[in-house]
Amino acid sequence: KSIHETRNGELLGLVMVGPHVTDLVEAGVIAIDANANVETVADGVAAHPTLAEAIKEACLLALGRPIHVPNRKPEPDMADARYPNDLRYHQEHAWVRAQGDEATFGITWFAEDALQEVVFFDSPKVGDEVTKDRAYAQIESAKAVSDLIAPMSGKIVAVNDALDSAPETINRDPYGQGWMVKVTLSDPSEASSLMSATEYAAMLE
């Protein structure tokens, strides 16, 4: 059996239903939490704003009582709009915190806000060479997959492994715990070509 929802002829979601409610499969947008046995569940096709509502109604009909259908995950915490003055900025929405020949890279509030919920950071490896103005990694959000452009050149000496299990940290704290890589710079003078916070904010206007 299946429970599905369509809107204007487009399939928005599909859940396959087995002989028990606990066999409901995660559809990608919801998760089922129920401890109930049922032999058959009729097909449920309903004009609901979410697939979760369609599933709840179908199970209510089959069980005679409601079940709890939580969201798979809460909305991510989003950082406030700001551009710290102690950083330098690249036109491709990267920031640099440089100290001598060492630097930390990340993405700006503007970039993470445009991406919305970040779901995956395809990180480079320690030892990889990065070149200014060229892609060095990719970031995936609920909306798109985007290249990350290196704001300066050098060799990666550290990667923020914490983003593997918590990529939403980029949304919550893009200038702190959401940093991406640390680099030994091959040409620290490249920092002079980057923008100040004021210049970057003006570029965005």
Side-chain angles (χ1 to χ4, degrees), residues 5-116:
E5 181 193 6
T6 59
R7 184 176 298 153
N8 297 327
E10 179 183 357
L11 180 65
L12 300 182
L14 174 67
V15 172
M16 303 308 296
V17 182
H20 303 94
V21 173
T22 49
D23 289 335
L24 288 170
V25 179
E26 183 176 348
V29 292
I30 56 133
I32 298 296
D33 177 16
N35 293 309
N37 295 328
V38 78
E39 293 306 317
T40 60
V41 177
D43 287 357
V45 181
H48 289 287
T50 66
L51 179 59
E53 291 301 314
I55 292 172
K56 283 195 288 187
E57 177 165 313
C59 290
L60 177 62
L61 292 173
L63 297 171
R65 63 174 180 80
I67 64 168
H68 176 55
V69 185
N71 290 329
R72 186 174 61 172
K73 60 172 65 175
E75 290 296 316
D77 293 331
M78 305 297 284
D80 294 329
R82 65 187 183 93
Y83 306 107
N85 289 325
D86 63 327
L87 305 178
R88 303 293 290 181
Y89 298 87
H90 188 272
Q91 65 267 24
E92 293 296 331
H93 313 298
W95 58 259
V96 177
R97 181 178 288 114
Q99 296 178 316
D101 63 353
E102 300 286 330
T104 303
F105 296 173
I107 63 170
T108 66
W109 175 86
F110 178 89
E112 67 85 10
D113 185 65
L115 287 167
Q116 292 295 303

Side-chain angles (χ1 to χ4, degrees), residues 76-198:
D77 293 331
M78 305 297 284
D80 294 329
R82 65 187 183 93
Y83 306 107
N85 289 325
D86 63 327
L87 305 178
R88 303 293 290 181
Y89 298 87
H90 188 272
Q91 65 267 24
E92 293 296 331
H93 313 298
W95 58 259
V96 177
R97 181 178 288 114
Q99 296 178 316
D101 63 353
E102 300 286 330
T104 303
F105 296 173
I107 63 170
T108 66
W109 175 86
F110 178 89
E112 67 85 10
D113 185 65
L115 287 167
Q116 292 295 303
E117 182 182 359
V118 175
V119 297
F120 182 64
F121 172 45
D122 187 6
S123 61
K125 296 180 175 61
V126 170
D128 284 356
E129 300 279 348
V130 298
T131 302
K132 185 178 184 294
D133 301 328
R134 294 187 181 178
Y136 72 92
Q138 286 190 324
I139 189 169
E140 182 177 348
S141 75
K143 295 176 62 176
V145 176
S146 302
D147 287 335
L148 296 177
I149 304 302
M152 299 180 71
S153 303
K155 179 181 288 187
I156 294 174
V157 295
V159 174
N160 189 353
D161 294 331
L163 300 179
D164 292 345
S165 58
E168 67 276 7
T169 305
I170 296 167
N171 296 117
R172 187 176 65 251
D173 189 14
Y175 303 115
Q177 295 180 3
W179 66 274
M180 293 175 172
V181 297
K182 296 181 186 292
V183 175
T184 296
L185 300 171
S186 56
D187 184 3
S189 67
E190 288 178 337
S192 63
S193 67
L194 301 176
M195 291 176 279
S196 68
T198 301

